Amino acid sequence: EEILAAGEALLARRRDFLGKTILVTAGATRERLDPFRFITNASTGKMGYAVAEAALARGAQVVLISGPGELPPPPGARVRKVESALEMYGAVMEEFPAADVVIKAAAVGDYRPAEASPVKIKKDQGELTVTLVKNPDILTALGQRKGRKILVGFAAESNNILEYAREKLRKKNADLIVANDITQEGAGFAGDTNVVHLVAANGEIESLPVLSKREVADRILDRVLALSGGR
Ligand code: C5P
């Protein structure tokens, strides 16, 4: 796999990310209830890993901050594995200053249990109430300090996709939102394909057909390059 990745990088038509550092987040977070249990979601990390691989092939330095999962680390990337949203927040903030572009493909848990029990929770009560508290929104925090960096967020929606994407661009001060239509065949979490709209802060919208996640990754990078012209 390492030889293949190195060959691919050498043969890549475009080495248009040479000299750029790209920070990518991928996968789901795990929010602990006790040592054995956690709240998570169905993200596998495939989209974020595809972005990391495409960026490496195009000459970028890549830092990949990934939630737990089985995907092999993309050869050439510096990978930091994290578990919770708070850990991801910490790692992203550490790596952010050195990045030119941040691509936030991770499906970050919006809430975490207010307390993680240090011992296994027993089933002796009839009902169990868990209080959840809000996690910080990492992308919003980056948007508040983005300077000249390019910020790309993801959105998984089942209705009013473009409207929500525009709202997210504004709220999070991002440059581009990759909006997934999760109702469409070939889109979403576990598969190898995706169906997305690239919604840019400059008002441009590009709606793509069903493509492999790797092809989607390259289209995102094309758009990032266009947006970073002059930066
Ligand atoms: O608001 P929503 O969760 O739909 O936005 C998704 C985008 O925001 C993704 O790019 C995701 O990585 C990012 N996000 C984040 N921190 C959170 C929740 C989402 O960075 N706590």
Coordinates of all heavy atoms in Angstrom, one line a residue, residues 25 85 104-110 135-140 152-157 168 172, ligand 1:
T25 N -10.2 16.0 9.4 CA -10.8 15.2 10.4 C -11.7 14.1 9.8 O -12.3 14.4 8.8 CB -11.5 16.0 11.5 OG1 -12.8 16.5 10.9 CG2 -10.7 17.1 12.0
A85 N -15.3 13.9 21.2 CA -15.3 15.2 20.6 C -14.4 16.2 21.3 O -13.7 17.0 20.6 CB -16.7 15.8 20.6
K104 N -13.2 19.3 7.4 CA -13.8 18.7 8.6 C -14.8 17.6 8.2 O -16.0 17.9 8.3 CB -14.4 19.7 9.5 CG -13.4 20.6 10.3 CD -13.6 20.7 11.8 CE -13.4 19.4 12.5 NZ -14.5 18.8 13.1
A105 N -14.4 16.5 7.8 CA -15.3 15.4 7.4 C -15.8 14.6 8.6 O -16.6 13.7 8.4 CB -14.6 14.5 6.4
A106 N -15.3 14.8 9.8 CA -15.7 14.0 11.0 C -17.1 14.2 11.3 O -17.6 15.3 11.2 CB -14.8 14.3 12.2
A107 N -17.8 13.1 11.8 CA -19.1 13.3 12.3 C -19.0 13.3 13.8 O -18.9 12.3 14.5 CB -20.0 12.0 11.9
V108 N -18.9 14.6 14.3 CA -18.6 14.8 15.7 C -19.9 14.7 16.5 O -20.9 15.3 16.1 CB -18.0 16.3 15.9 CG1 -17.6 16.5 17.3 CG2 -16.8 16.5 14.9
G109 N -19.8 14.0 17.6 CA -21.0 13.9 18.5 C -21.3 15.3 19.0 O -20.5 16.0 19.5
D110 N -22.6 15.6 18.9 CA -23.1 16.9 19.3 C -23.2 17.0 20.9 O -23.0 18.1 21.5 CB -24.4 17.3 18.7 CG -24.2 17.6 17.2 OD1 -23.2 18.2 16.8 OD2 -25.1 17.2 16.4
N135 N -21.4 19.4 23.3 CA -20.0 19.4 22.9 C -19.7 20.8 22.2 O -20.6 21.3 21.6 CB -19.6 18.3 22.0 CG -19.3 17.0 22.7 OD1 -18.8 17.1 23.9 ND2 -19.7 15.9 22.1
P136 N -18.5 21.3 22.3 CA -18.2 22.5 21.5 C -18.2 22.1 20.1 O -17.9 21.0 19.6 CB -16.7 22.8 22.0 CG -16.2 21.5 22.5 CD -17.3 20.7 23.0
D137 N -18.6 23.1 19.2 CA -18.6 22.9 17.8 C -17.2 23.3 17.3 O -16.8 24.5 17.3 CB -19.7 23.8 17.1 CG -19.9 23.4 15.7 OD1 -18.9 23.5 14.9 OD2 -21.0 23.0 15.3
I138 N -16.5 22.3 16.8 CA -15.1 22.6 16.5 C -15.0 23.5 15.3 O -14.2 24.5 15.3 CB -14.3 21.2 16.2 CG1 -14.5 20.3 17.4 CG2 -12.9 21.5 15.9 CD1 -14.1 18.8 17.1
L139 N -15.8 23.3 14.3 CA -15.8 24.1 13.1 C -16.1 25.5 13.4 O -15.4 26.4 12.9 CB -16.7 23.5 12.0 CG -16.7 24.1 10.6 CD1 -15.3 24.0 10.1 CD2 -17.7 23.3 9.7
T140 N -17.1 25.7 14.2 CA -17.4 27.1 14.6 C -16.2 27.8 15.3 O -15.9 29.0 15.0 CB -18.7 27.1 15.6 OG1 -19.7 26.5 14.9 CG2 -19.1 28.5 15.9
V152 N -13.4 24.0 5.3 CA -14.4 23.2 4.6 C -15.2 22.3 5.6 O -14.5 21.6 6.4 CB -13.7 22.3 3.6 CG1 -14.8 21.4 2.8 CG2 -12.9 23.1 2.6
G153 N -16.5 22.4 5.6 CA -17.3 21.6 6.5 C -18.1 20.7 5.7 O -18.3 20.8 4.5
F154 N -18.7 19.7 6.4 CA -19.6 18.7 5.8 C -21.0 18.9 6.4 O -21.1 19.4 7.5 CB -19.1 17.3 6.0 CG -18.1 16.9 5.0 CD1 -16.8 17.5 5.0 CD2 -18.3 15.9 4.1 CE1 -15.9 17.1 4.1 CE2 -17.4 15.5 3.2 CZ -16.1 16.2 3.2
A155 N -22.0 18.5 5.7 CA -23.4 18.5 6.2 C -24.1 17.3 5.7 O -24.0 17.1 4.5 CB -24.1 19.8 5.8
A156 N -24.7 16.6 6.6 CA -25.6 15.4 6.1 C -27.0 15.9 6.3 O -27.4 16.1 7.5 CB -25.2 14.2 6.9
E157 N -27.8 16.0 5.3 CA -29.1 16.5 5.4 C -30.1 15.6 4.6 O -29.7 14.9 3.7 CB -29.3 17.9 4.8 CG -28.3 18.9 5.3 CD -28.5 19.4 6.7 OE1 -29.5 18.9 7.3 OE2 -27.7 20.2 7.2
K168 N -25.2 27.1 7.3 CA -24.0 26.6 8.0 C -22.8 27.4 7.6 O -21.9 27.7 8.4 CB -23.8 25.1 7.6 CG -23.6 24.2 8.8 CD -23.9 22.8 8.5 CE -25.3 22.4 9.0 NZ -25.5 21.0 9.0
K172 N -20.9 29.2 10.6 CA -19.6 28.6 11.0 C -18.4 29.4 10.4 O -17.3 29.0 10.5 CB -19.5 27.1 10.7 CG -20.7 26.3 11.3 CD -20.5 24.8 11.4 CE -21.7 24.1 12.0 NZ -21.4 22.9 12.6
Ligands
C5P1 O1 -23.9 21.5 12.4 P1 -23.5 20.2 11.8 O2 -23.1 19.2 12.9 O3 -24.4 19.6 10.8 O4 -22.2 20.5 11.0 C1 -21.4 19.6 10.4 C2 -20.0 20.1 10.3 O5 -19.5 20.7 11.5 C3 -19.0 19.0 10.0 O6 -18.0 19.6 9.2 C4 -18.5 18.6 11.4 O7 -17.2 18.0 11.3 C5 -18.5 19.9 12.1 N1 -18.7 19.8 13.5 C6 -17.7 20.1 14.4 N2 -18.0 20.0 15.8 C7 -19.1 19.6 16.3 C8 -20.2 19.3 15.3 C9 -19.9 19.4 14.0 O8 -16.7 20.5 14.0 N3 -19.3 19.5 17.6

